[in-house]
């Protein structure tokens, strides 16, 4: 772990814990080399790996929880083109916002189509975070990049957790599967990773009910 920041070392430990835990099966993962400009200042809670991700699921005796994270360094993401937005799936306003988005976390292993992106706007002091589940549209998240990365590490990318921080109607039938995933995550992950504190996510869920 030479030359890695403390934050990068913590993410390496997350990946290793997933690989080594008897209650978790890692389906695919990747850890690319550090970017060539790895000696440049690192934005807070960003990584310098060219790519870094894991696809995983819990196994018996735990109920099934699935997840994936695939991180693009912030310094690289903001230089890349925005994702494409199919007019059949996104409104005109969502496409307008989408033109200012840069993906920092997505799910290429499963091909789920979901992603989280940071919005770059001229004059904005705190960039916005947006989540697309690729089925129900584009949602602004009620958190910043630093908080997103901290919660992503806590959830290990369990599918659906991002909607705790959007205005998605989780009590609506259309979001029943998402709500079920969140409930199962909050039940199972504290058992799998008992040293982690899932209180912030439980409190957020309680506030959304």
């Amino acid at each position: 772990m030479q030359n890695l920041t403390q934050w990068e070392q913590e993410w390496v430990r997350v990946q290793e814990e997933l690989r080594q835990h008897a209650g978790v099966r890692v389906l695919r993962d990747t850890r690319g080399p550090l970017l060539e400009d790895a000696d440049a200042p690192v934005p807070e809670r960003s990584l310098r790996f060219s790519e870094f991700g894991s696809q995983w699921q819990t196994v018996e005796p735990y109920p099934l929880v699935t997840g994936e994270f695939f991180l693009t360094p912030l310094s690289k993401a903001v230089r890349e083109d925005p994702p494409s937005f199919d007019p059949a799936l996104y409104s005109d306003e969502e496409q307008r916002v989408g033109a200012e988005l840069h993906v920092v976390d997505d799910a290429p292993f499963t091909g789920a189509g979901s992603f989280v992106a940071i919005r770059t706007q001229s004059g904005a002091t705190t960039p916005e975070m947006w989540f697309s589940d690729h089925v129900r549209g584009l949602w602004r998240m009620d958190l910043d990049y630093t908080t997103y990365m901290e919660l992503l590490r806590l959830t290990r990318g369990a599918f659906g957790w991002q909607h705790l921080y959007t205005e998605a109607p989780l009590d609506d039938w259309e979001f029943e599967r998402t709500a079920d995933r969140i409930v199962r995550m909050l039940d199972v992950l504290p058992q799998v990773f008992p040293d982690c504190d899932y209180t912030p996510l439980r409190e957020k869920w309680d506030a959304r009910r």
Side-chain angles (χ1 to χ4, degrees):
M1 295 188 184
Q2 186 177 6
N3 297 326
L4 299 186
T5 66
Q6 181 178 350
W7 181 244
E8 289 165 345
Q9 292 178 39
E10 290 177 8
W11 270 100
V12 168
R13 282 193 290 271
V14 166
Q15 199 173 57
E16 292 298 329
E17 287 174 358
L18 289 171
R19 289 174 179 171
Q20 298 170 9
H21 200 295
V24 176
R25 179 187 176 196
V26 173
L27 305 174
R28 291 184 64 182
D29 64 8
T30 184
R31 186 191 307 167
L34 297 182
L35 296 177
E36 292 182 2
D37 57 350
D39 292 331
V42 183
E44 186 177 8
R45 293 297 185 259
S46 184
L47 305 179
R48 296 172 296 167
F49 300 108
S50 59
E51 59 182 23
F52 189 91
S54 296
Q55 176 196 3
W56 58 271
Q57 65 184 43
T58 53
V59 297
E60 293 184 352
Y62 302 105
L64 180 64
V65 175
T66 60
E68 179 176 355
F69 57 84
F70 191 92
L71 302 175
T72 298
L74 189 58
S75 59
K76 177 182 177 182
V78 297
R79 295 195 300 265
E80 295 187 343
D81 293 335
S84 60
F85 289 89
D86 187 340
L89 298 175
Y90 298 91
S91 68
D92 290 345
E93 175 62 17
E94 287 172 331
Q95 293 178 66
R96 185 186 69 80
V97 171
E100 300 175 328
L101 296 182
H102 303 277
V103 176
V104 295
D105 177 30
D106 60 333
F109 293 147
T110 56
S114 60
F115 63 82
V116 170
I118 192 167
R119 186 181 185 186
T120 53
Q121 296 174 278
S122 177
T125 56
T126 303
E128 300 169 357
M129 300 297 294
W130 289 74
F131 174 53
S132 172
D133 58 14
H134 206 63
V135 176
R136 303 170 185 84
L138 189 62
W139 304 85
R140 183 177 175 180
M141 301 186 73
D142 183 24
L143 43 67
D144 58 17
Y145 176 80
T146 297
T147 305
Y148 178 80
M149 290 294 289
E150 291 172 346
L151 292 174
L152 182 66
R153 183 186 59 168
L154 184 62
T155 62
R156 275 71 171 175
F159 285 117
W161 78 268
Q162 290 93 342
H163 271 311
L164 283 172
Y165 294 85
T166 73
E167 294 184 353
L170 295 178
D171 56 349
D172 189 90
W173 67 268
E174 190 177 12
F175 286 86
E176 182 176 2
R177 184 181 182 188
T178 297
D180 287 345
R181 281 177 162 176
I182 291 172
V183 170
R184 192 178 308 117
M185 173 192 73
L186 292 175
D187 176 55
V188 175
L189 290 193
Q191 300 178 51
V192 180
F193 304 107
D195 293 336
C196 295
D197 181 10
Y198 289 90
T199 302
L201 294 171
R202 290 186 183 278
E203 291 178 344
K204 192 67 175 179
W205 171 248
D206 289 341
R208 294 292 305 275
R209 297 167 67 178

